[in-house]
Amino acid sequence: MTNVLDWVDGNDIAGTARELFALDLTTARGKCANCGREAMVAEAHVYNRAPGLVVRCSGCESVLMRLVRSPDRAWLDMRGLSYLQFSMPGAAHAP
Amino acid sequence: MTWQVATVKDIREESVAARSLVLDVPEWPGHFAGQHVDVRLTAPDGYAAQRSYSLASAAVAAAGYAASEVEIMVQRIPRGEVSPWLCDVAQVGDQIEVRGPVGGYFVWDPSRTEPVLLLAGGSGVAPLMAMIRTRREAGSRVPFRLVYSVRDPDTLIYGDELNRRVRDDQGLDVTIVYTRQTPPGWRRPAGRLTGDLLTEAGWPASMSPASFVCGPTGFVEATANLLVAAGHDAAWIRTERFGPTS
């Protein structure tokens, strides 16, 4: 069944992203390369019912990131993002 | 951040389709209320499935909990890969793998001073319960209001504890909204959360509350839209969606 709400949000990828990034990715601000919307990764739409994770812009639904994880490697495609801006340690809410 | 072995220390049935699991995680570094823990189950053939669960336990060591113990609440999702095992098979003493805490977006820090509005749809109450428990443990006097939407009395989670906390935790108000069926004699007919009810049970936008909305994607979308329509600043609305309606 296809459901337009068949997604979760960027909070879902916190753990998987933490394997690849030294900082929390979900509180990073990303700019969509398609529509220019800037939002926290936590606010993006995540489609996780597939072999990989697909992260889409909450404004235009274009693909921001794709992440595929196998037992011994990870593929990260971030071509849908112009940039990511991280709050560096010492800022609020760094776990 | 690496996976570590956790031991199931306690299990409490919370509703017809949800249970709380207390996990002992020896190297647990502590967490903020609202953060997650990832749980990984591995089959004998090596196939692994993982899911992210909200931590429901207080961010500071609560009475009765060792610092290494954390609690999650698991709702049984038919055909799920992880929740049926956690809900139906897991027993005290079983070992699973966990990784966390993770996520820094949907968190409440007890040093914050603005009033807090918590909006829960179904099992989305779990991270909000962590905030309520943390508030008490940290001695915060920030006013909290929880508006909790559930289908019917059978699916209400944390009912007894919420009743007790409304009595004992000063400055905590709880409003339960039943969407399909109410208990006998309930003061409101069954129905979805409306803007009017949010006006009555929440905080006015003029108080600049911090709002946390957690639940199925449809609930969160609808509720966040109600808040924005009532004049709440979107920057103060934190959301967490865990997928299609449970």
Side-chain angles (χ1 to χ4, degrees), chain B residues 107-119 131-132 135 140-146 170-173 201-213 227 232-233 235-238:
Chain B
V107 299
W108 178 71
D109 184 323
S111 66
R112 305 291 306 199
T113 56
E114 61 279 339
V116 171
L117 176 57
L118 307 174
L119 298 145
M131 296 176 190
I132 290 170
R135 173 182 179 273
S140 165
R141 304 178 78 96
V142 166
F144 262 43
R145 286 187 167 171
L146 168 68
Q170 283 184 21
L172 170 68
D173 296 326
W203 300 114
S206 59
M207 289 180 70
S208 300
S211 298
F212 293 89
V213 190
L227 288 173
H232 290 257
D233 182 350
W236 287 89
I237 305 171
R238 293 275 154 137

Side-chain angles (χ1 to χ4, degrees), chain B:
Chain B
M1 186 173 291
T2 56
W3 293 95
Q4 51 178 313
V5 175
T7 306
V8 178
K9 284 287 287 262
D10 192 21
I11 294 173
R12 287 196 316 274
E13 303 301 330
E14 298 285 3
S15 78
V16 290
R19 59 172 18 180
S20 290
L21 288 93
V22 178
L23 307 174
D24 182 55
V25 191
E27 304 290 320
W28 189 252
H31 62 273
F32 285 114
Q35 284 193 293
H36 296 209
V37 62
D38 289 352
V39 172
R40 179 165 74 179
L41 304 177
T42 305
D45 67 0
Y47 176 75
Q50 73 184 61
R51 284 292 177 274
S52 193
Y53 289 96
S54 291
L55 293 153
S57 42
V60 279
Y65 285 88
S68 65
E69 288 180 10
V70 298
E71 185 182 306
I72 59 173
M73 196 271 295
V74 183
Q75 176 123 27
R76 184 186 299 102
I77 302 192
R79 292 169 293 139
E81 287 190 310
V82 176
S83 73
W85 188 87
L86 291 174
C87 278
D88 300 328
V89 182
Q91 295 181 341
V92 171
D94 283 347
Q95 294 193 316
I96 58 178
E97 284 181 293
V98 301
R99 175 178 64 192
V102 296
Y105 171 77
F106 195 82
V107 299
W108 178 71
D109 184 323
S111 66
R112 305 291 306 199
T113 56
E114 61 279 339
V116 171
L117 176 57
L118 307 174
L119 298 145
S123 58
V125 71
L128 308 182
M129 198 63 186
M131 296 176 190
I132 290 170
R133 290 169 169 171
T134 298
R135 173 182 179 273
R136 174 63 183 252
E137 292 302 317
S140 165
R141 304 178 78 96
V142 166
F144 262 43
R145 286 187 167 171
L146 168 68
V147 179
Y148 177 14
S149 169
V150 288
R151 205 171 49 201
D152 52 45
D154 282 346
T155 52
L156 182 70
I157 299 162
Y158 305 131
D160 292 343
E161 181 176 344
L162 287 172
N163 278 335
R164 179 170 55 75
R165 286 185 180 273
V166 165
R167 192 188 64 217
D168 298 344
D169 293 12
Q170 283 184 21
L172 170 68
D173 296 326
V174 176
T175 302
I176 312 279
V177 180
Y178 293 97
T179 59
R180 300 256 183 89
Q181 186 201 331
T182 71
W186 193 248
R187 53 188 287 250
R188 271 186 300 274
R192 288 179 181 233
L193 180 60
T194 62
D196 285 348
L197 188 49
L198 211 49
T199 302
E200 179 192 324
W203 300 114
S206 59
M207 289 180 70
S208 300
S211 298
F212 293 89
V213 190
C214 185
T217 302
F219 171 86
V220 172
E221 293 291 289
T223 306
N225 287 340
L226 287 178
L227 288 173
V228 171
H232 290 257
D233 182 350
W236 287 89
I237 305 171
R238 293 275 154 137
T239 50
E240 177 158 310
R241 306 157 174 91
F242 53 70
T245 310
S246 49

Side-chain angles (χ1 to χ4, degrees), chain A residues 23-91:
Chain A
L23 300 170
D24 176 33
L25 179 66
T26 62
T27 50
R29 295 188 71 81
K31 181 172 173 130
C32 173
N34 182 52
C35 73
R37 181 188 181 94
E38 199 185 294
M40 284 199 201
V41 173
E43 296 167 312
H45 297 177
V46 172
Y47 294 80
N48 61 3
R49 302 188 176 203
L53 294 166
V54 178
V55 182
R56 290 178 176 270
C57 175
S58 59
C60 71
E61 282 289 326
S62 65
V63 175
L64 300 174
M65 282 185 261
R66 295 184 297 167
L67 174 59
V68 175
R69 183 76 165 82
S70 80
D72 65 347
R73 65 197 63 211
W75 289 261
L76 179 61
D77 170 355
M78 302 182 68
R79 81 180 98 171
L81 281 167
S82 305
Y83 59 75
L84 282 171
Q85 176 197 95
F86 291 85
S87 290
M88 297 306 287

